[in-house]
Amino acid sequence: MTVHLLALETSGSVCGVALISRRADGKTTVSKQEHDATGEHAERLLPMVDDLLAARGLGRRDLSAVAFGQGPGGFTGLRVACGVAQGMGFALQIPVVPVGSLMAVAQRDADAHPDHSKAVRVVVQDARMGEVYLAAYVPDEEGGWSILQAPMLLAAADLPLWLAQVSEVPHGLPPSSTLRLVGDGVALCPEIDGVRLGQGWLVEQGPGLRPDAATVGKLGLAMFLQGKHVTPEHAAPLYVRDKVAFTTRERQQGQGGNPKAPGLGVALRPMGPGDVPAVAAIEASVQAFPWTAGNFSDGLKAGYGGWVAHQHGRILGFSMTLYAPDMAHLLVLAVAPDAQREGVGTALIRHCEKEALARGLSDLLLEVRPSNLQALAFYRRHGFERIGIRKDYYPAPEGTREDGWVMCKTLVSGS
């Protein structure tokens, strides 16, 4: 029996998918596809998956498992890969394999430089804002990796200090071990050339690599065959920072980041079938139990009012509304994580209200999880009030259910 594992990697600017097939005789075939375009992961990922499968004459139901680059990395990219992996896992009833993105960098370097097979890999990845993600891995006797330092966030200027300190701590490694620095964050720390290490350890600099889907797939296949996988509901990205961007004020004060050009807002247009992959990816990035692409396609076929908010060709958010004879029912509304608190949700909700009034409907109804405090605050700010409870309305972790709060707003023309 041939095992087919799909791998997704979107922790950086490159959107990558790979298909790793292992036959019963141990022969392995790898196919991959990549596209370098920051901010387009949600639109590109699923079409790339389908193209890759079609090129091998396979369908989604031929997959044995799906692996994804777990992070750390870009917040939105991690959510896209994780959300798509979860969605496919649920739909196809297959396991999900989270693979550490920094471990994938260590493996990628080891594959390219077998002459350095004994070196400890210290992966240093650019985390922006003058910081780096760092992890260290020791090769084990089975061809895998033991974790010397779990992924952490570190000021780039503190890398020499970390190297000096870690070399003074006994780790059971042979004397004069080599710390091989790899990753695109190494270039941010030119001071490492003069660092002094204890225990006779040496430092050598490797290439500025980033994780790729093929290596995530290689690690994911090994983990899958070892039973190291999870059910879709337990898959989650690995975040190691609680601040993913500078605020506008911080950017204006020179603390980094790129201020948005003034006067640029979002535009709205009707949702079409071609928007469904991007919409489903955004939904998966913000919901533990998201609508699927099939749900959105069915909604469009049923005549529901679907709208997308877009800017510079990228879809930032969406809404879908059912227009009943006596009221409008907002079924779903979501905004991409990196576009939240920028007025996208407000633009969508106001457009929903406008469309309802245009149809002579004076009430806009919706359901929301009481545990979703951010959504509750958003709807309350826009004039919605709780009018009831739907018992056990939403699925919740470990097979439980969560109530849904019914909220309603009476619309007034011109409001």
Side-chain angles (χ1 to χ4, degrees):
M1 176 182 177
T2 300
V3 173
H4 300 293
L5 179 137
L6 179 71
L8 315 172
E9 168 51 44
T10 58
S11 65
S13 64
V14 176
C15 179
V17 299
L19 180 64
I20 295 85
S21 301
R22 183 186 178 101
R23 297 191 329 200
D25 60 6
K27 183 178 180 180
T28 301
T29 303
V30 179
S31 303
K32 64 180 181 179
Q33 190 175 131
E34 294 181 336
H35 179 79
D36 191 350
T38 301
E40 296 182 6
H41 298 341
E43 291 89 342
R44 299 231 176 220
L45 192 59
L46 281 173
M48 288 171 64
V49 167
D50 290 336
D51 288 347
L52 194 62
L53 289 171
R56 292 276 295 277
L58 299 172
R60 294 184 184 181
R61 296 205 171 274
D62 293 310
L63 295 174
S64 308
V66 56
F68 71 98
Q70 186 182 27
F75 179 87
T76 303
L78 295 182
R79 291 297 300 171
V80 169
C82 179
V84 171
Q86 282 183 308
M88 296 186 73
F90 277 120
L92 303 174
Q93 297 184 335
I94 57 177
V96 175
V97 188
V99 177
S101 297
L102 301 187
M103 185 180 289
V105 174
Q107 183 65 53
R108 189 177 178 188
D109 183 63
D111 291 342
H113 301 278
D115 51 322
H116 297 281
S117 61
K118 302 294 185 181
V120 176
R121 258 66 178 194
V122 179
V123 181
V124 187
Q125 208 76 63
D126 186 0
R128 310 289 178 152
M129 301 194 296
E131 296 174 320
V132 294
Y133 299 119
L134 181 146
Y137 303 96
V138 181
D140 62 28
E141 296 179 355
E142 299 178 356
W145 299 98
S146 298
I147 298 175
L148 179 67
Q149 169 65 61
M152 61 180 290
L153 186 68
L154 186 73
D158 289 339
L159 178 59
L161 178 61
W162 182 88
L163 290 170
Q165 290 180 342
V166 76
S167 68
E168 295 292 343
V169 179
H171 292 286
L173 299 175
S176 303
S177 293
T178 298
L179 296 179
R180 182 171 166 84
L181 306 185
V182 295
D184 64 357
V186 178
L188 303 176
C189 315
E191 303 86 356
I192 58 177
D193 290 335
V195 67
R196 294 186 178 183
L197 303 185
Q199 302 188 56
W201 285 14
L202 304 175
V203 172
E204 65 180 22
Q205 294 192 36
L209 301 174
R210 291 198 63 88
D212 69 331
T215 310
V216 169
K218 176 179 179 177
L219 291 170
L221 179 62
M223 294 169 66
F224 171 68
L225 295 176
Q226 295 167 11
K228 297 178 181 178
H229 48 73
V230 299
T231 54
E233 63 268 24
H234 290 114
L238 173 62
Y239 303 126
V240 296
R241 77 165 3 141
D242 57 6
K243 185 178 183 64
V244 298
F246 286 104
T247 65
T248 299
R249 176 172 295 180
E250 289 169 337
R251 293 195 297 265
Q252 292 172 345
Q253 292 173 347
Q255 296 187 45
N258 297 308
K260 294 184 182 297
L264 293 179
V266 296
L268 301 181
R269 61 172 171 77
M271 184 189 302
D275 300 322
V276 168
V279 165
I282 292 175
E283 169 75 349
S285 74
V286 297
Q287 297 290 349
F289 298 88
W291 276 36
T292 66
N295 294 144
F296 287 108
S297 296
D298 291 344
L300 291 176
K301 293 175 183 177
Y304 297 167
W307 292 85
V308 294
H310 62 99
Q311 185 181 68
H312 303 310
R314 179 195 171 198
I315 295 177
L316 303 178
F318 66 89
S319 65
M320 183 163 278
T321 306
L322 166 65
Y323 299 108
D326 55 344
M327 67 173 57
H329 188 170
L330 178 58
L331 301 172
V332 60
L333 184 152
V335 176
D338 65 341
Q340 293 178 6
R341 302 186 184 279
E342 299 288 348
V344 179
T346 295
L348 286 165
I349 197 77
R350 287 177 177 171
H351 191 79
C352 290
E353 296 173 7
K354 179 181 177 181
E355 288 292 311
L357 286 170
R359 290 168 170 77
L361 304 175
S362 59
D363 291 305
L364 181 58
L365 189 78
L366 60 88
E367 291 88 15
V368 63
R369 293 176 184 267
S371 61
N372 193 342
L373 301 181
Q374 183 177 347
L376 284 173
F378 172 81
Y379 291 124
R380 283 169 174 158
R381 284 198 308 271
H382 288 85
F384 286 82
E385 297 180 348
R386 193 181 87 180
I387 62 170
I389 296 177
R390 299 194 193 280
K391 297 294 293 183
D392 298 331
Y393 186 74
Y394 291 107
E398 300 181 358
T400 61
R401 307 289 297 184
E402 181 178 1
D403 295 343
W405 282 11
V406 183
M407 304 187 77
C408 186
K409 179 179 180 178
T410 298
L411 308 178
V412 179
S413 180
S415 61

